Amino acid sequence: MKLDNNNHSVFLLCYHLVLVVKYRRKVFSDQMSQYAKDIFVRIGSSYNVTLEEWNHDQDHVHIMFRAHPNTEMSKFINAYKSASSRLIKKDFPEVRRKLW
């Protein structure tokens, strides 16, 4: 892997995030996964986060990503989870029926 750097340091911060669907319901499709991935890339660009790998199953998502040391990880993950949940429920109404 290539090391990242800024003016005063060299670093390599890799994270593995697993997001699970509520009640482990099997609702993720390939189209929904791609949509969630696009949201991740879009939000990650404003937080200095780079997507490395994305895998999904019907009830969870595995995300490997890199970040800078100055990234506030809790704020980024909170922003991603809020935005993706809201947008997926809006654009994929069948998910709402399966979860409630």
Side-chain angles (χ1 to χ4, degrees), residues 80-95:
Y80 174 68
K81 285 177 62 177
S82 298
S84 64
S85 174
R86 181 175 30 84
L87 292 171
I88 287 173
K89 285 177 187 174
K90 184 181 96 179
D91 293 339
F92 296 92
E94 66 273 7
V95 171

Side-chain angles (χ1 to χ4, degrees), residues 2-98:
K2 181 180 171 285
L3 297 175
D4 295 321
N5 61 5
N6 58 19
N7 292 339
H8 302 288
S9 60
V10 176
F11 53 89
L12 179 61
L13 297 173
C14 295
Y15 296 91
H16 178 210
L17 176 65
V18 179
L19 299 175
V20 179
V21 177
K22 189 174 185 178
Y23 306 124
R24 304 265 316 184
R25 300 270 169 91
K26 299 184 183 322
V27 296
F28 258 107
S29 64
D30 292 337
Q31 181 183 10
M32 190 184 310
S33 176
Q34 184 61 42
Y35 187 75
K37 181 179 178 180
D38 295 340
I39 295 169
F40 186 91
V41 171
R42 190 175 70 233
I43 292 174
S45 64
S46 61
Y47 284 90
N48 292 327
V49 170
T50 306
L51 179 65
E52 291 292 317
E53 189 175 331
W54 180 282
N55 292 312
H56 78 279
D57 199 5
Q58 291 181 342
D59 61 352
H60 67 279
V61 176
H62 286 267
I63 308 168
M64 294 286 292
F65 63 95
R66 294 165 66 162
H68 285 249
N70 61 352
T71 301
E72 295 182 67
M73 203 53 61
S74 60
K75 286 187 178 181
F76 164 68
I77 292 173
N78 190 27
Y80 174 68
K81 285 177 62 177
S82 298
S84 64
S85 174
R86 181 175 30 84
L87 292 171
I88 287 173
K89 285 177 187 174
K90 184 181 96 179
D91 293 339
F92 296 92
E94 66 273 7
V95 171
R96 187 174 288 233
R97 285 190 297 272
K98 288 182 181 179

